[in-house]
Amino acid sequence: EDMAAHVGASRTPQEVMEHYVSMYIHGNLGKACIPDTIPNRVTDHTCPSGGPLSPSLTTPLPPLDISVAEQQQLGYMPLRDDYEIEYDQDAETLISGLSVNYDDDDVEIELKRAHVDMYVRKLKERQRRKNIARDYNLVPAFLGKDKKEKEKTLKRKITKEEKELRLKLRPLYQFMSCKEFDDLFENMHKEKMLRAKIRELQRYRRNGITKMEESAEYEAARHKRERRKENKNLASSKRGKEDGKDSEFAAIENLPGFELLSDREKVLCSSLNLSPARYVTVKTIIIKDHLQKRQGIPSKSRLPSYLDKVLKKRILNFLTESGWISRDAS
């Protein structure tokens, strides 16, 4: 901009820059003076070859964007991107008491180096866990902030089977980034859709359809057939229910004594497969014996031979529940 002002209004700053680059950098002067590769002669003394305790071992992450109350809840210190309680809280005790003395022998020096190496490993593991928590948004999830964000970012609805599979594969989260994991499930969803499409196309081929234009007509006809079939099944089930009501007592309605029975007695005879006449006979005998016992007259049970113990028990329970005989008599 200064050069353009010096030259005058005839040149804009962009034109001055293009002239300089073309003439002095890419021109003959630049080719003669500027080498093709510029060696980096600057040595980073803050981290010599990734030495122990160097600050570049753990790349700091940007601070979490959370409120002061949430910081206090988590024990989070944003300026240091640390927590009051970190993973392996006592890791610093490995090196806090170390000191280099002039009279240390080789064994003591190697022992202290081993302590430093153990501490560096713990720092790396601590930072790895922080990276996983930051990548998968575990802090917003803990604070209940990620639900609305997930609903916005999701392009499709997650099925119940996919949710269960995500829960089963949760231990693998530490080996993959969040994007890789989402891409994995997105590709699995695409594979499922492609397999369904392939099966659909194979079904078209089996039915003699070789063009997609013909598939629309085929699907419309198939839906009509299925709808007719559903309507037919629905009508037949309704008819079956109506016929069932009418034919519930069909086995005994034409037998003598049917008109003497109540509705509950009709159901009982139908369930026991007992003719109305025989039921009336058994009922008369049981009630007569019950009345004689109440009057103090001894009576001998003379029930018919076709009445076994199961039928007798069912009929006695029914008569007791209906109030024909008392419970102690039954």
Side-chain angles (χ1 to χ4, degrees):
E1 292 174 353
D2 292 340
M3 289 302 301
H6 177 72
V7 172
S10 60
R11 291 283 186 269
T12 63
Q14 182 67 25
E15 291 174 345
V16 171
M17 186 185 72
E18 291 176 355
H19 175 76
Y20 177 80
V21 170
S22 61
M23 297 300 294
Y24 294 98
I25 295 180
H26 298 306
N28 294 328
L29 187 63
K31 291 178 181 177
C33 298
I34 302 175
D36 295 333
T37 58
I38 301 175
N40 184 12
R41 300 184 183 90
V42 179
T43 304
D44 183 9
H45 294 282
T46 61
C47 178
S49 303
L53 302 181
S54 91
S56 62
L57 287 176
T58 57
T59 305
L61 297 171
L64 290 171
D65 185 14
I66 55 179
S67 64
V68 177
E70 291 168 344
Q71 292 175 10
Q72 293 176 354
Q73 182 182 359
L74 294 171
Y76 178 68
M77 295 173 283
L79 298 180
R80 299 178 55 184
D81 191 35
D82 282 342
Y83 295 89
E84 292 180 3
I85 300 178
E86 293 278 359
Y87 168 76
D88 203 347
Q89 181 73 5
D90 299 330
E92 282 72 18
T93 57
L94 286 168
I95 59 168
S96 60
L98 292 182
S99 61
V100 179
N101 302 318
Y102 69 92
D103 56 346
D104 288 343
D105 56 14
D106 294 340
V107 176
E108 291 176 335
I109 293 174
E110 291 300 323
L111 181 61
K112 291 177 181 179
R113 286 179 177 174
H115 278 228
V116 172
D117 183 63
M118 292 164 62
Y119 175 65
V120 170
R121 289 173 185 268
K122 290 179 183 292
L123 284 183
K124 288 181 178 179
E125 177 62 19
R126 184 182 292 175
Q127 188 63 35
R128 186 183 74 88
R129 289 171 179 259
K130 284 184 181 179
N131 293 338
I132 293 174
R134 189 68 63 88
D135 189 19
Y136 283 94
N137 292 324
L138 297 185
V139 172
F142 174 76
L143 297 173
K145 287 183 172 182
D146 65 331
K147 292 183 179 179
K148 294 181 180 179
E149 296 177 0
K150 279 185 178 180
E151 291 175 358
K152 292 179 182 178
T153 55
L154 285 177
K155 299 178 182 178
R156 58 182 177 84
K157 187 177 180 181
I158 298 180
T159 60
K160 182 181 178 182
E161 292 78 10
E162 184 173 337
K163 287 181 181 177
E164 294 176 352
L165 184 59
R166 282 176 180 266
L167 288 175
K168 290 180 181 178
L169 297 180
R170 182 173 284 181
L172 301 179
Y173 281 16
Q174 57 182 322
F175 304 112
M176 303 173 69
S177 66
C178 184
K179 186 179 182 306
E180 290 174 341
F181 219 76
D182 290 339
D183 291 343
L184 171 65
F185 280 96
E186 196 65 32
N187 292 332
M188 290 171 65
H189 176 70
K190 288 180 181 178
E191 179 193 9
K192 185 178 179 181
M193 299 299 292
L194 287 173
R195 288 182 181 275
K197 189 65 177 177
I198 290 172
R199 288 195 296 268
E200 183 183 12
L201 294 175
Q202 289 176 343
R203 180 165 54 84
Y204 288 161
R205 178 63 62 87
R206 286 195 301 268
N207 288 276
I209 298 173
T210 56
K211 296 181 180 180
M212 291 303 297
E213 294 80 7
E214 302 171 353
S215 63
E217 185 178 353
Y218 168 76
E219 287 294 332
R222 185 173 67 87
H223 286 310
K224 287 182 181 179
R225 287 196 303 271
E226 291 180 354
R227 204 177 301 117
R228 284 199 300 268
K229 189 176 180 181
E230 289 177 0
N231 294 336
K232 187 177 179 181
N233 293 337
L234 187 62
S236 62
S237 63
K238 286 182 178 179
R239 276 200 307 272
K241 288 180 180 178
E242 293 174 358
D243 296 343
K245 289 180 180 178
D246 297 337
S247 61
E248 185 178 1
F249 309 121
I252 61 174
E253 62 181 353
N254 295 324
L255 297 178
F258 179 77
E259 67 279 358
L260 302 176
L261 303 179
S262 64
D263 291 340
R264 292 186 62 199
E265 288 175 328
K266 291 176 183 178
V267 174
L268 178 67
C269 291
S270 178
S271 63
L272 297 178
N273 199 15
L274 188 67
S275 66
R278 288 187 171 185
Y279 167 74
V280 171
T281 302
V282 174
K283 176 183 174 183
T284 304
I285 294 172
I286 292 175
I287 293 176
K288 186 178 179 181
D289 288 350
H290 173 63
L291 293 175
Q292 288 179 354
K293 286 181 181 178
R294 288 187 63 181
Q295 295 173 3
I297 303 173
S299 62
K300 254 189 179 181
S301 180
R302 48 188 183 282
L303 295 174
S305 58
Y306 58 79
L307 190 70
D308 57 12
K309 292 182 178 180
V310 178
L311 290 177
K312 179 181 176 183
K313 187 175 181 180
R314 290 281 300 275
I315 294 173
L316 283 171
N317 290 336
F318 174 78
L319 294 177
T320 303
E321 292 172 359
S322 302
W324 289 100
I325 60 176
S326 59
R327 190 167 297 276
D328 55 350
S330 62

